[in-house]
Amino acid sequence: MSETAPIRVTVWSEFRHEKKNPKVAAIYPDGIHETIAKCLREQPDFQVRTAWLDQPEHGLGGCVLDETDVLVWWGHMAHGELSDETAAAVQRRVLEGMGFLALHSAHYSKPFKALMGTTCSVKWRESTDKERLWNIAPSHPITRGIGEYFEIPKEEMYGEPFGIPTPDELLFISWFTGGEVFRSGAVWQRGHGRVFYFRPGHETYPTYHHPQVRQVLVNGVRWLRPAVCIQDACPNSPPLEPLPEDTEASDRPVVGFK
Ligand code: ZN
């Protein structure tokens, strides 16, 4: 895959809270997905489109997934309304090589749970906690330019235990005013694709306007860019070189127990 080709990004969200809650609409008038997409479009090498839950096939039908290098996912109140077919298609594309950036409550989305294979449950509280995210992997490309830590003045609390498999690498640990801690930034390899979970993003707070959160999104998309795209196959494989004559199984010496 060409290193100079644009990174094709699809930003997906439910786009429900914005239509129901004026507080959310005031922060994200065009939807959370559009705020994130605008941020990503500032990168000249990103080619960004959006999709949301209530579109036909959730906006991910046709060639959309096949033409997506990195899928950004924000879900919260309607995980169960995503079709199993779409969830399976997202999982398949990640196994082929597509990057998947799961944001905030996407920890409970069907595609993320399928990719993790665990409960993905968290402890939570809608509150006025301050969140302090500690950058514990300063040499990782996703934390570039972030510094030792950054703070979000108000956020929903997520606390451990977080029901995920042990990450390949842990990038951020959050501390909340209420005393909890949480693995807020973590990455996994799944098949040929990469997965990045990034915690902040409760809809009633302007988290996706926060400069360091936006920097992590940009860094994350760049790091999630696919290295390959390999479709699943389970082929019967002829030998590359002539094989020695087969010996009848009955002629083989008996080894082990009589
Ligand atoms: Zn939330």
Side-chain angles (χ1 to χ4, degrees):
M1 303 187 74
S2 168
E3 286 287 309
T4 54
I7 303 176
R8 301 167 301 174
V9 187
T10 301
V11 182
W12 188 94
S13 84
E14 288 178 0
F15 199 20
R16 291 275 183 88
H17 292 279
E18 300 92 326
K19 294 172 181 168
K20 291 183 176 173
N21 185 343
K23 191 175 174 186
V24 180
I27 300 168
Y28 301 111
D30 299 316
I32 287 173
H33 55 287
E34 194 53 41
T35 297
I36 293 171
K38 269 185 197 150
C39 160
L40 299 176
R41 286 190 189 111
E42 291 171 8
Q43 304 298 308
D45 56 332
F46 288 8
Q47 210 173 73
V48 183
R49 68 168 128 196
T50 59
W52 57 91
L53 182 66
D54 293 322
Q55 291 178 303
E57 296 183 72
H58 310 306
L60 298 174
C63 297
V64 173
L65 280 178
D66 287 336
E67 294 173 355
T68 296
D69 295 320
V70 179
L71 180 60
V72 181
W73 197 274
W74 191 97
H76 204 243
M77 66 187 288
H79 296 309
E81 293 183 44
L82 189 86
S83 73
D84 291 341
E85 291 73 22
T86 298
V90 171
Q91 182 192 28
R92 171 185 58 78
R93 278 288 295 134
V94 173
L95 299 180
E96 289 174 1
M98 181 181 77
F100 187 68
L101 173 42
L103 295 171
H104 190 56
S105 259
H107 74 87
Y108 245 10
S109 65
K110 286 185 181 179
F112 185 73
K113 289 175 79 171
L115 288 161
M116 295 294 110
T118 53
T119 66
C120 300
S121 297
V122 305
K123 193 183 286 174
W124 62 280
R125 174 175 64 241
E126 287 193 36
S127 58
T128 55
D129 285 79
K130 175 168 79 177
E131 178 176 8
R132 180 177 297 131
L133 290 99
W134 289 95
N135 170 6
I136 61 164
S139 61
H140 196 282
I142 291 179
T143 63
R144 196 166 290 156
I146 295 304
E148 189 181 11
Y149 67 87
F150 68 97
E151 294 178 349
I152 302 173
K154 284 182 187 168
E155 252 294 351
E156 180 179 16
M157 184 284 294
Y158 280 7
E160 296 284 345
F162 185 12
I164 46 172
T166 301
D168 296 347
E169 198 164 356
L170 197 52
L171 311 182
F172 293 105
I173 293 176
S174 284
W175 168 92
F176 294 88
T177 314
E180 295 86 356
V181 294
F182 191 74
R183 288 171 287 174
S184 275
V187 295
W188 298 263
Q189 182 80 29
R190 285 293 181 268
H192 303 295
R194 290 172 163 180
V195 177
F196 170 37
Y197 174 77
F198 187 49
R199 195 216 76 86
H202 188 62
E203 68 277 1
T204 57
Y205 297 124
T207 299
Y208 294 120
H209 296 285
H210 188 294
Q212 276 138 317
V213 169
R214 291 162 77 90
Q215 184 66 55
V216 171
L217 297 179
V218 170
N219 292 348
V221 166
R222 218 173 270 294
W223 182 79
L224 288 164
R225 171 188 211 137
V228 294
C229 176
I230 301 176
Q231 293 184 347
D232 183 39
C234 190
N236 183 295
S237 184
L240 299 180
E241 308 190 23
L243 301 179
E245 290 271 317
D246 194 11
T247 310
E248 289 295 324
S250 57
D251 294 341
R252 290 181 187 142
V254 175
V255 180
F257 300 107
K258 286 187 178 176

